[in-house]
Structures are given as C-alpha cells and as structure tokens.
Amino acid sequence: MRVVIAEDNALLREGLVLLLTSSGHEVVAVAGTGPEVLPALLEHRPDVAVLDVRMPPGFRDEGLRAALAARERIPGLPVLVLSQYVEESYAAELLGGGSSGVGYLLKDRVGRVDEFLDALERVAAGGTALDPEVVTELLTRRRDSPLDSLTPREREVLKLMAEGHDNTTIAKTLVVTERSVSKHIGNVFLKLGLPPSDSGHRRVLAVLTYLKDPRSAV
C-alpha cells in the first residue's frame, strides 16, 4: 500500500515509517505540521493516510481538519487517525463524515504491531477500525441514549462490530456461533432503527446513532 504519514513527533513518525516499510508498504510522503498534510494527500492520493489529530502550529485538530478536507476533495480516501487520548468530539466528527474507510486509534495501539497493521489494512480496504477504548468510552459515557434498549450481549456485539471485527471473529471472541452473532446484529439494527443499506458499514452507523444523539453533546 502507498501511505502518507502525518505526525509531529519525530520519533513516532520515523517509527511508523520503519514499521510500514518493513511490512512491505510504501511511505510516499511524511508531514510534520498541519499545513503540510492536505497538499501531501492531494498530491500523492495514497491508499491510506495515517494522521495525528493534533499537530503544529496550534496543536488543536489540524490533522483531523486536513483529513476531513482531503475526504471532501478525494471521496472515500481511507484515513486512520491517531490520538493520544479518547476525544469523543473528534471521533464523532470523523465518523460523521462517512463511515467508509475510516479509523480512530489511540497511539498506544501502534505498539501492538499486529493489531495496528490489521486496522490499517482494514481501513485501506474501505472498512472501519475503532480503538476498543474509544468504543467503550462512547458506549458508556452518556445515558438515556438509543443504546439503552440493547441487552448486555447486544452491547458486547456492538462494541466488537464498531471495532471493525467480522462475524467470525466476534463469534470466536464471545464463544458463540456465527448464527447467534447474526441474530444479535439483527436485533441491534432493529432496535436502533437502522434501515438496510448497500454500503456494508451499518456496524459503525450503530455507533453513529449514539454520537448523533443531541443528548450526547459535550
């Protein structure tokens, strides 16, 4: 895969370059400041971009803004965003821009090489990847949301779906049959009022239902 990396921490940036190149991927550009990100993405149009949320000069949300702007110019551009902490508003904004080919991971996840590479490949293929800690935070921070109607098992299934896992992996994780997983998924979609879709990304739309609830605003 052709990858653009945007990260202001030189040590982490070089570590990402080394990790990706040693895994057979091509890093076509790196950016260390917010203003460098969008031009690099538009010039190289990578298979996937790995972007830090907060970058110079303001250390606010420069990386996220560049990602959103790039996806407007290059619809469907796969973007994997890295963050130091769980920041609900950033996750909501990224996912709200379209659930295809997006990921939101905590930086600690990079150290778990297999998990990080799996998430990167999933996002590049048009799938989704949400950090387990991000999903847990989103699912438990607010009350009185549509998710309150879910059973504990359905919430477990939703959590794993939102992380980007397929039915087979969910079944193995929960030690149940795939048929049971499919039934739980159907119940989740039904309770959250999610209509059938050809996009194949209703799993993350379930989390978006929570994020778009006015009562979840900070």
Side-chain angles (χ1 to χ4, degrees):
M1 294 187 298
R2 300 172 64 256
V3 186
V4 166
I5 296 173
E7 167 61 54
D8 65 288
N9 183 303
L11 184 61
L12 178 55
R13 185 172 65 243
E14 293 307 311
L16 285 169
V17 171
L18 179 61
L19 171 60
L20 293 177
T21 54
S22 63
S23 299
H25 304 301
E26 179 186 3
V27 177
V28 295
V30 296
T33 67
E36 298 176 55
V37 180
L38 183 57
L41 294 175
L42 295 179
E43 177 183 352
H44 295 281
R45 295 177 176 255
D47 297 314
V48 62
V50 180
L51 310 174
D52 187 10
V53 169
R54 299 184 177 188
M55 299 187 68
F59 291 99
R60 293 187 295 273
D61 58 0
E62 289 82 358
L64 177 67
R65 292 295 163 206
L68 295 174
R71 283 173 66 87
E72 288 182 1
R73 302 276 290 275
I74 311 173
L77 173 69
V79 172
L80 178 60
V81 168
L82 302 179
S83 180
Q84 191 69 42
Y85 310 103
V86 177
E87 301 180 84
E88 181 180 346
S89 60
Y90 292 160
E93 192 158 7
L94 176 67
L95 293 169
S99 59
S100 174
V102 294
Y104 187 103
L105 297 182
L106 297 182
K107 289 187 176 180
D108 289 346
R109 196 67 54 184
V110 177
R112 303 174 188 180
V113 175
D114 290 341
E115 291 182 29
F116 172 72
L117 291 176
D118 177 67
L120 184 69
E121 292 172 4
R122 207 157 61 231
V123 169
T128 56
L130 295 183
D131 193 288
E133 292 185 36
V134 173
V135 176
T136 298
E137 184 77 8
L138 297 179
L139 294 182
T140 60
R141 181 177 295 182
R142 303 297 174 186
R143 299 296 181 185
D144 301 322
S145 80
L147 300 180
D148 291 338
S149 64
L150 303 183
T151 66
R153 176 62 85 185
E154 288 165 357
R155 290 173 70 89
E156 287 181 312
V157 171
L158 173 57
K159 179 178 183 294
L160 293 169
M161 284 194 301
E163 291 170 18
H165 298 299
D166 59 22
N167 289 13
T168 301
T169 302
I170 294 174
K172 291 180 179 178
T173 301
L174 299 180
V175 195
V176 297
T177 66
E178 289 190 46
R179 183 176 180 179
S180 294
V181 170
S182 296
K183 182 179 179 180
H184 288 310
I185 291 174
N187 289 339
V188 168
F189 291 154
L190 180 64
K191 290 181 178 180
L192 299 185
L194 296 175
S197 169
D198 293 331
S199 68
H201 297 290
R202 284 196 297 164
R203 297 168 183 268
V204 171
L205 290 178
V207 175
L208 284 176
T209 298
Y210 169 80
L211 294 174
K212 291 178 179 179
D213 190 314
R215 290 166 293 189
S216 70
V218 177

